[in-house]
Amino acid sequence: MPEIEHMNQEIVNRAPAEFRPLLNLDHLTAWTLDRQREHYEDHGTYEAARAMFQAVLRSQEVKGDGKWSARRRARKVEKHLTRLVKASQDAAKASEGLRLAYADHVRTVAALPDQRAAKAKAKADRRGRVNDFAAKSLNKTVSAMIARPENDEEPSGEPADQSAGKGSDGRTVRGVNDLFDRKGA
C-alpha cells in the first residue's frame, strides 16, 4: 500500500482487519462508491415512502376539520421521513467528501518531502547569499581600514595620527563628542 508508507505500522495493525484495505485509495474509492449507491437507493426508497404517506395522510379528512388540519396532522409524520431523505443525501455527499479528502491527504503527504527539501535548499541559498554579502562588505571595510596612502595622510589632507587640539575654552579636543561635553559610545 503506497499510500501508507509514512504511517506507523503499529497504529495500522491496531485497525480492524476489514478496514485496513480502505487505506489504499483504490479500495477506498470502490468502497465509497458502494456506500453512495446504497445511500442513493435509500434516498429513493425514503422519497417514495414520504410521497405515499403525504398522499394518504393528507387525504384523511375528519368531520369538522379546518382547511389545513389534515396537512398539519400529516406533517407530524412526514417530517421524520423528510429527515431520513436529507440524512441519506448527506451520507452520500459525506462518502464522496471522504474519498476526495483522503485523496488530497495522500497527495499532500507524498509531496511533503520534496517541498521540505526545496524549502531547505532555498533557505540555505538565502543564507549563503547573506553570508556572501556580509563577507564582501567586511572585506571592503577591512581593505579601507588597512589601506593608507603612502604619505600617511587622510583624504581630507590631515595627518592620519592627528594630535589633540585645544578648544576655544582651553579644553583638549580629540573629536566631535568633546566639543559637546558628551561621552562617546
Side-chain angles (χ1 to χ4, degrees):
M1 291 181 209
E3 286 85 4
I4 58 172
E5 66 186 31
H6 297 290
M7 287 187 186
N8 185 342
Q9 282 305 113
E10 183 179 320
I11 302 293
V12 172
N13 290 335
R14 284 189 213 158
E18 67 265 16
F19 293 119
R20 282 187 208 142
L22 295 179
L23 294 172
N24 183 316
L25 189 56
D26 295 331
H27 286 100
L28 181 69
T29 300
W31 186 79
T32 54
L33 289 175
D34 288 342
R35 299 295 79 73
Q36 281 180 295
R37 192 178 317 97
E38 287 177 15
H39 293 305
Y40 283 128
E41 287 172 5
D42 291 345
H43 173 75
T45 304
Y46 298 147
E47 279 285 340
R50 182 173 65 172
M52 188 267 309
F53 273 94
Q54 277 181 346
V56 171
L57 296 179
R58 288 182 182 187
S59 67
Q60 289 180 337
E61 298 280 333
V62 178
K63 188 175 182 182
D65 274 351
K67 185 175 183 182
W68 302 105
S69 297
R71 276 193 173 197
R72 277 197 310 269
R73 282 193 307 269
R75 176 74 183 113
K76 291 178 182 178
V77 176
E78 290 172 15
K79 69 181 179 182
H80 296 286
L81 284 166
T82 303
R83 286 183 191 158
L84 283 173
V85 169
K86 184 167 177 4
S88 64
Q89 286 174 333
D90 291 345
K93 288 178 185 175
S95 64
E96 176 66 9
L98 168 66
R99 186 186 66 79
L100 294 175
Y102 187 65
D104 186 46
H105 174 77
V106 168
R107 266 193 308 277
T108 302
V109 168
L112 276 176
D114 294 336
Q115 288 175 351
R116 288 180 179 156
K119 188 175 179 180
K121 183 182 181 311
K123 185 175 182 179
D125 291 347
R126 190 172 53 249
R127 284 187 175 176
R129 287 192 305 268
V130 167
N131 290 342
D132 291 346
F133 177 76
K136 184 177 177 184
S137 176
L138 285 173
N139 286 337
K140 283 184 179 179
T141 303
V142 169
S143 299
M145 291 175 71
I146 293 175
R148 295 274 184 203
E150 289 187 19
N151 60 4
D152 201 26
E153 287 195 6
E154 293 287 323
S156 63
E158 298 177 5
D161 54 341
Q162 177 179 357
S163 59
K166 296 283 184 188
S168 60
D169 60 352
R171 291 184 301 176
T172 304
V173 177
R174 289 190 168 80
V176 175
N177 287 340
D178 292 335
L179 294 175
F180 297 102
D181 291 331
R182 289 193 212 165
K183 299 285 183 191

